[in-house]
């Protein structure tokens, strides 16, 4: 990461922790890929911080997916979204839309067509802070295959970046806890079994992070980014899942309680991983590298 990328990442941490949408707008987060001329590799570190804070707002969907697509189409709504005055969520499979309850519009990216419309029925999810809705696609925005594919790739990559951030948050919580929790006269973090679990979780996240950045670079350069995005999603989902398992187990019984904050990040990771579809992406990767024939 460059110094500018690091500075932008650090600048958003406090407003993300506070859920400050207007502050993010003032920092130029929503205008980053339109008016400010930044690209995918500049925004990925910010999206990781979105995951770390488990922000319950469509920050990633608006800044990373909707704004660059609307700007590329010279759509009048691009300016409003870039200033943060228009919130846009992105629908997942079946129209399930995370943060739809906090959005003004919903973007659908299905079947090679981008559609945009309003909101619909509230939906129940494992992470209630997602405030999800089931949205029906409305008017056609574009059927340009390159633009739709790029937007879909950014949507998947946004999930991957947030999953890395969520994994980091769960790992940080757990490391802090096992240093303070004593058993048999010693901190439980000094026990080899605990060390190994957390080291494995850390290793998974450290492998996932550069894969996410590499996929961002592929999208930025207009390369064949499909396999890179698929790989990033698979690695990030696996790493976040491993971090959640290690975190809950190392916390013991307190890790299962809603009074303790760990469940917020674990549930968000499970929900985002399901939306990103790592299983299908792993199958696609296997086909790409010749390990699986199409249709088998």
């Amino acid at each position: 990461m460059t110094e500018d990328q690091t500075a932008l990442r650090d600048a958003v941490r406090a407003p993300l922790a506070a859920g400050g949408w207007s502050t993010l707008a003032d920092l130029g987060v929503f205008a980053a890929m339109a008016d400010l001329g930044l690209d995918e590799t500049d925004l990925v570190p910010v999206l990781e911080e979105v995951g770390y804070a488990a922000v319950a707002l469509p920050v990633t969907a608006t800044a990373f997916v909707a704004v660059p697509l609307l700007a590329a189409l010279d759509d009048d709504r691009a300016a409003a979204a870039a200033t943060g005055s228009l919130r846009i969520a992105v629908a997942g499979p079946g129209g399930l839309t995370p943060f739809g309850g906090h959005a003004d519009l919903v973007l659908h990216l299905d079947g090679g067509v981008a559609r945009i419309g309003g909101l619909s029925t509230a939906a129940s999810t494992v992470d209630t802070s997602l405030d999800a809705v089931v949205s029906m696609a409305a008017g056609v925005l574009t059927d340009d295959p390159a633009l739709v594919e790029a937007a879909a790739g950014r949507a998947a990559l946004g999930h991957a970046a947030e999953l890395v951030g969520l994994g980091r948050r769960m790992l940080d919580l757990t490391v802090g806890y096992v240093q303070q929790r004593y058993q048999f006269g010693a901190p439980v973090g000094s026990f080899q079994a605990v060390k190994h679990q957390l080291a494995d979780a850390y290793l998974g996240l450290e492998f996932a992070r550069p894969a996410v950045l590499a996929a961002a670079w592929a999208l930025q350069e207009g390369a064949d980014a499909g396999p890179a995005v698929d790989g990033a999603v698979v690695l990030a989902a696996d790493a976040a899942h491993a971090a959640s398992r290690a975190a809950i187990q190392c916390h013991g019984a307190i890790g299962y309680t809603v009074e303790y904050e760990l469940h917020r990040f674990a549930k968000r990771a499970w929900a985002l991983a399901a939306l990103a579809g790592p299983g299908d992406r792993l199958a696609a990767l296997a086909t790409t590298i010749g390990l699986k024939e199409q249709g088998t």
Side-chain angles (χ1 to χ4, degrees), residues 30 33-34 40 61-79 81 88-90 106-110 113-116 140-152 154-155:
F30 303 112
M33 294 185 66
E40 287 82 355
T62 301
F64 198 60
V65 185
V67 167
L69 177 59
L70 292 172
L73 294 168
D74 290 325
D75 190 285
D76 293 340
R77 290 164 289 198
I88 303 176
V90 175
V106 175
L107 177 65
H108 294 256
L109 302 166
D110 299 315
V113 178
R115 300 176 185 270
I116 198 162
V140 173
L141 186 61
T142 180
D143 59 0
D144 184 310
L147 291 177
V148 176
E149 183 179 357
R154 286 194 298 271

Side-chain angles (χ1 to χ4, degrees), residues 204-257:
L205 292 168
E206 287 301 294
F207 269 96
R209 179 183 284 115
V212 173
L213 285 169
W217 179 87
L219 282 170
Q220 168 192 323
E221 296 299 313
D224 181 14
V229 172
D230 288 342
V233 170
V234 169
L235 287 173
D238 283 352
H241 180 66
S244 71
R245 285 177 58 91
I248 291 172
Q249 186 166 5
C250 291
H251 272 87
I254 193 175
Y256 291 88
T257 64

Side-chain angles (χ1 to χ4, degrees), residues 15-16 18-30 55 57 59 82-85 87:
L16 284 172
W21 182 276
S22 59
T23 306
L24 294 174
D26 292 340
L27 288 170
V29 170
F30 303 112
V55 178
L57 295 167
V59 175
T83 62
S85 59
R87 300 181 182 186

Side-chain angles (χ1 to χ4, degrees), residues 256-276:
Y256 291 88
T257 64
V258 294
E259 290 81 9
Y260 186 65
E261 63 178 340
L262 176 59
H263 76 95
R264 292 177 50 224
F265 308 104
K267 289 176 180 177
R268 178 65 57 82
W270 301 336
L272 290 186
L275 285 168

